Amino acid sequence: MVRWIIIASSTLAMRLTLFPLHVLQMHKIKKISQSFSKLPPLFPPPLSGRSYIEQISLFRKERRAIGCPSYLWFLAFLSVQIPCFLLWMTSIRRMCLDNHPGFDCGGTLWFQNLTELPHGVLGPIFPFLIAGLHGVNVHFSFDRSSVRNTSGLLGLLSEYYKKYLNFMMLPLFFIGYCIPQGSLVYWVTNSSLTAIQQVSLKLPVVRAKLGLLDKDFPKAPALSAEMVTHEPRNVSPENLSPHELLVLSVKLLSSGHRARAIPLLQMALEKDPGHIKALIVMGQARLQEGLLAEATDHLERAISNLILTGHPTAEDVDHLILASQWAGVACIRQGKNAEGILHLERIASLEEPEDPKSKAHYFDGLLLLASALSKEDRNAEAVKYLRLVVAYDPSRKEFLDQCL
């Protein structure tokens, strides 16, 4: 058998051997993506009262509790694929340079001698294929909704990394002229199989057989505009602004359709990760579902954004009170009383609002703070806040009597 077929077939055998590991990694990443929203942030949110070590310990504890795989699974396939690629590449190159028996006449067509470098009119074929297949694989790697819709710092880094990989097409073209044709046969075969694998893993039939996620995240069903305008036409959620998505989700939540409201809130936060109202509503919804860690994460993100506001409006203050209330409740329900009290004490540090609705929320927060302090046997502090609550609403005097 001619040597170039042996090189190509051995490359195919290697890729088939590594394919189960790739599928296993994708299953692990699928589970991580499903668990990610339930995990607390890796770094402590501002004013959370937790150190980096405590936050990382909390993250690891929550990750184990819900059965989320290690994030090292993101590197599993590459940690095996890259050494195999380098081993195959250097081994074949060494055989070419050492004039291994049969390599001088083991090619075909324009690459008869596998020990020679590309030359002649047809010499650019292999370098062109290497650069072109590299570009194709980069395109397929980044042509996923999860990558395209990534925002913030991670999205910026992904964009610059993609530009760097695309820039490497030109250097790879010239590198192809410096490598023996035997090594180029392996490189082109490996890149071709990578492209075929990426294309096949995008097919719904293949992904269904392997039990993987769909190519894109499931889209929320189209909602009737009658919910807002009572018109008979349909509106696709993808075409709505974050504010419009929030309005629809609130209507769905108020009518008890939480399962339909959550995807709309997620879509609003994908479009605007810093949307304070959406973060608060999502935190409240997750709190009602009992997903306490996720609720805390959304509410603390809203609090962080509100604290960073240079000149908070009356509405911002009201949002800060509400977010602090629910964050405190979520922490206390997780048994993190100290962290919950820190959130509730934030409300007490604010000036009493003048807006009637905000004032009601403010004293609700003081009542929650007094209750939390009482459970910690800090009755003197609890009484101080309860007196303020009773002065605002005498009907709550019974809480003060119980604490005295």
Side-chain angles (χ1 to χ4, degrees):
M1 184 182 290
V2 290
R3 294 296 185 268
W4 75 271
I5 296 180
I6 295 176
I7 294 173
S9 59
S10 64
T11 305
L12 175 61
M14 180 192 70
R15 296 300 304 226
L16 290 175
T17 302
L18 294 178
F19 185 69
L21 175 61
H22 190 202
V23 174
L24 177 61
Q25 181 192 40
M26 294 182 75
H27 277 283
K28 295 294 185 180
I29 292 176
K30 170 186 174 181
K31 193 168 184 180
I32 291 173
S33 67
Q34 293 172 336
S35 306
F36 186 76
S37 61
K38 302 177 184 178
L39 293 171
L42 190 57
F43 298 103
L47 302 180
S48 65
R50 293 191 291 267
S51 66
Y52 286 102
I53 296 177
E54 291 173 339
Q55 184 70 18
I56 292 173
S57 299
L58 171 66
F59 179 87
R60 294 178 63 185
K61 179 181 176 182
E62 294 287 343
R63 182 179 64 79
R64 292 195 188 101
I66 63 176
C68 177
S70 170
Y71 282 13
L72 293 177
W73 275 104
F74 283 101
L75 304 175
F77 185 65
L78 285 178
S79 65
V80 177
Q81 183 189 34
I82 292 177
C84 288
F85 173 81
L86 295 176
L87 176 62
W88 250 253
M89 194 71 184
T90 54
S91 298
I92 296 174
R93 180 176 180 275
R94 176 51 54 191
M95 294 171 74
C96 292
L97 296 178
D98 292 344
N99 291 313
H100 190 79
F103 269 54
D104 56 343
C105 58
T108 185
L109 299 176
W110 72 93
F111 55 100
Q112 294 286 341
N113 190 343
L114 299 179
T115 64
E116 293 181 344
L117 300 178
H119 62 279
V121 177
L122 300 180
I125 292 180
F126 273 140
F128 178 78
L129 286 175
I130 288 173
L133 288 169
H134 172 79
V136 169
N137 288 324
V138 169
H139 172 74
F140 282 130
S141 298
F142 285 84
D143 186 32
R144 299 191 184 101
S145 63
S146 56
V147 177
R148 290 196 309 266
N149 296 332
T150 303
S151 58
L153 179 60
L154 185 58
L156 183 63
L157 292 175
S158 298
E159 184 65 26
Y160 278 109
Y161 183 54
K162 181 181 179 181
K163 291 180 179 179
Y164 163 75
L165 292 176
N166 285 329
F167 170 78
M168 286 300 296
M169 291 176 62
L170 185 61
L172 287 175
F173 178 80
F174 291 107
I175 289 173
Y177 277 99
C178 306
I179 298 175
Q181 294 185 127
S183 297
L184 293 176
V185 170
Y186 162 70
W187 198 338
V188 169
T189 305
N190 186 66
S191 297
S192 301
L193 293 173
T194 300
I196 293 171
Q197 178 178 298
Q198 296 220 50
V199 171
S200 63
L201 288 175
K202 287 178 176 291
L203 298 175
V205 175
V206 176
R207 298 181 72 85
K209 290 287 185 182
L210 297 175
L212 299 170
L213 291 170
D214 294 336
K215 177 178 180 292
D216 291 317
F217 289 107
K219 295 181 179 179
L223 296 173
S224 172
E226 295 174 1
M227 299 176 66
V228 182
T229 62
H230 300 287
E231 296 178 7
R233 62 188 183 88
N234 288 331
V235 177
S236 174
E238 288 81 358
N239 298 326
L240 298 179
S241 67
H243 176 72
E244 291 170 329
L245 289 168
L246 174 65
V247 171
L248 287 176
S249 64
V250 169
K251 289 188 176 184
L252 287 170
L253 286 170
S254 62
S255 59
H257 300 290
R258 186 183 298 129
R260 296 175 62 190
I262 295 299
L264 296 179
L265 287 169
Q266 292 172 335
M267 194 179 300
L269 291 173
E270 286 176 4
K271 293 184 176 185
D272 183 3
H275 198 292
I276 292 172
K277 290 183 180 179
L279 287 169
I280 295 174
V281 174
M282 177 67 90
Q284 291 175 330
R286 291 310 195 193
L287 184 61
Q288 292 170 359
E289 290 181 310
L291 301 174
L292 303 178
E294 186 177 347
T296 304
D297 176 38
H298 283 92
L299 292 166
E300 288 182 343
R301 283 165 55 192
I303 291 169
S304 300
N305 291 338
L306 287 165
I307 289 175
L308 294 175
T309 303
H311 301 283
T313 63
E315 185 181 33
D316 292 333
V317 172
D318 188 48
H319 290 155
L320 181 59
I321 292 171
L322 287 173
S324 299
Q325 274 188 37
W326 292 109
V329 171
C331 288
I332 291 171
R333 287 187 184 179
Q334 295 176 79
K336 306 169 186 176
N337 294 346
E339 296 175 21
I341 289 174
L342 280 175
H343 284 300
L344 296 173
E345 285 179 334
R346 185 182 303 110
I347 301 173
S349 67
L350 300 173
E351 294 184 4
E352 181 182 327
E354 297 193 5
D355 178 72
K357 183 178 68 172
S358 299
K359 183 176 292 191
H361 294 157
Y362 174 80
F363 284 104
D364 286 341
L366 294 186
L367 182 60
L368 288 171
L369 173 59
S371 175
L373 291 171
S374 178
K375 291 178 181 178
E376 295 292 309
D377 293 328
R378 296 164 62 178
N379 289 340
E381 296 174 78
V383 167
K384 179 181 72 172
Y385 294 117
L386 284 172
R387 292 189 188 281
L388 295 174
V389 173
V390 171
Y392 168 73
D393 183 1
S395 66
R396 294 178 172 179
K397 189 175 183 299
E398 59 178 313
F399 296 105
L400 178 59
D401 294 337
Q402 292 173 5
C403 201
L404 290 175

